[in-house]
Amino acid sequence: MTTREKPWHGVMVATALPLREDLTVDEEGYAAHCRWLVEQGCDGVVPNGSLGEYQTLTPRERARVVETAVAAVGGDRVMPGVAAYGAAESRRWAEHARDAGCQVVMLLPPNAYRADERAVLAHYREVAKAGLPVVAYNNPYDTKVDLVPSLLAKLYDEGLIVGVKEFTGDVRRAYEIAELAPGLDVLVGSDDVVLELAIAGAVGWVAGFPNAVPASCAALFRAAVEGDVATALPLYRTLHPLLRWDAKTEFVQAIKLSMDLAGRYGGPCRQPRVPLSPEHEAAVRAATEKALAEGVR
């Protein structure tokens, strides 16, 4: 594990959620997975993100996922996603996270409404009332709302956010964010730019592929933030054929397949996600097997 100054720093794994063959949630399996990730060198977990299929969960399931993670690794290592259709619902999920013992939450902008700047500000103001630090999540591909650096600066200046999970893949934004909002923490959002953003000053990584190969991903991030490119770059090259799947539509299925191949239970997904096509399955399988053969773990 890295030495963290704040509970959103370091390698925070966006956890895949183990579903049984009947698609019920395996809470015991999820708790064991959270513990294993921390044992392997990751700093914490992010339940109820897209990788955790939160959109398909019932309210009780969603609440239990957070409570299970906290019981497994401690509230200071859990940063739940609190995305919802409206700000009132997101605020309720943030309050639940607070009451469960979490110290930070991660929040998308409105994800069922193409919000303008005023609506985004109102959304984050409402959720901030829960009293927990908020890490914004910028994913304009799915939300159609882009938290550009100037808007992030407004959110930060108003005290509404402490960091941003940056998922655009545009590494240039890290430098503009640092100029417009000094003090706002940048967290890597897309696995396949982790080296570039870590070198640019990112202090955290909300990561997908550590679900399958946590020790190597943690080693990569540590080397990158320390500026040890000689160590980081060869490992990054080995991992990159896997990491780039994090930015593809089928990322949940791909990561769960890699988990299965690495000896961890990935299992099925709930609809609307369907199994990988034969072509995609073959590509993920080949990339995973090659990485494992080269010592990735």
Side-chain angles (χ1 to χ4, degrees):
M1 293 178 287
T2 56
T3 300
R4 299 189 304 163
E5 295 181 7
K6 298 172 182 174
W8 55 91
H9 286 192
V11 180
M12 301 292 291
V13 185
T15 42
L17 186 63
L19 302 174
R20 302 181 183 92
E21 290 304 315
D22 64 359
L23 301 184
T24 57
V25 176
D26 180 357
E27 291 183 7
E28 291 184 5
Y30 182 61
H33 184 56
C34 292
R35 287 191 294 268
W36 178 72
L37 291 171
V38 171
E39 290 166 0
Q40 292 297 307
C42 299
D43 295 283
V45 296
V46 182
N48 291 336
S50 296
L51 186 48
E53 302 178 67
Y54 80 93
Q55 303 98 328
T56 72
L57 301 181
T58 67
R60 172 169 172 73
E61 287 173 332
R62 187 169 175 176
R64 285 294 303 151
V65 166
V66 173
E67 293 159 8
T68 299
V70 170
V73 298
D76 61 328
R77 296 194 182 278
V78 180
M79 180 171 68
V82 295
Y85 288 130
E89 186 180 358
S90 286
R91 176 181 171 179
R92 287 193 292 272
W93 284 120
E95 290 168 344
H96 172 265
R98 178 199 65 204
D99 296 344
C102 302
Q103 297 179 10
V104 60
V105 294
M106 186 177 70
L107 175 64
L108 283 165
N111 62 7
Y113 173 69
R114 192 167 296 188
D116 61 13
E117 184 173 291
R118 294 181 308 118
V120 169
L121 287 165
H123 182 75
Y124 280 86
R125 285 172 186 146
E126 181 64 25
V127 179
K129 293 175 184 177
L132 283 182
V134 173
V135 169
Y137 178 7
N138 185 34
N139 184 352
Y141 307 109
D142 291 336
T143 65
K144 310 304 179 185
V145 178
D146 194 353
L147 302 179
V148 296
S150 59
L151 178 51
L152 289 170
K154 291 182 180 179
L155 292 166
Y156 179 67
D157 288 345
E158 199 171 317
L160 302 176
I161 61 173
V162 296
V164 59
K165 174 187 175 182
E166 231 301 308
F167 191 76
T168 64
D170 183 354
V171 298
R172 297 169 297 184
R173 291 194 179 201
Y175 301 96
E176 189 173 359
I177 291 169
E179 293 165 9
L180 296 178
L184 178 65
D185 287 338
V186 172
L187 281 65
V188 181
S190 185
D191 288 358
D192 58 351
V193 290
V194 60
L195 177 59
E196 293 83 355
L197 281 177
I199 290 172
V203 297
W205 177 15
V206 182
F209 255 94
N211 280 284
V213 285
S216 294
C217 288
L220 167 61
F221 185 73
R222 282 195 297 269
V225 296
E226 291 168 2
D228 183 2
V229 178
T231 297
L233 186 55
L235 185 53
Y236 192 44
R237 291 188 186 279
T238 299
L239 286 166
H240 210 271
L242 289 177
L243 299 181
R244 67 179 66 121
W245 278 94
D246 183 58
K248 297 183 183 294
T249 302
E250 306 83 2
F251 73 108
V252 180
Q253 299 96 312
I255 288 172
K256 283 192 164 186
L257 174 57
S258 286
M259 291 170 67
D260 288 331
L261 295 170
R264 305 299 302 179
Y265 180 76
C269 298
R270 286 182 177 175
Q271 290 182 337
R273 292 180 174 87
V274 295
L276 293 170
S277 68
E279 295 80 9
H280 285 165
E281 180 179 345
V284 174
R285 186 177 296 275
T288 304
E289 290 175 348
K290 184 175 186 295
L292 293 173
E294 293 177 4
V296 167
R297 58 189 179 89

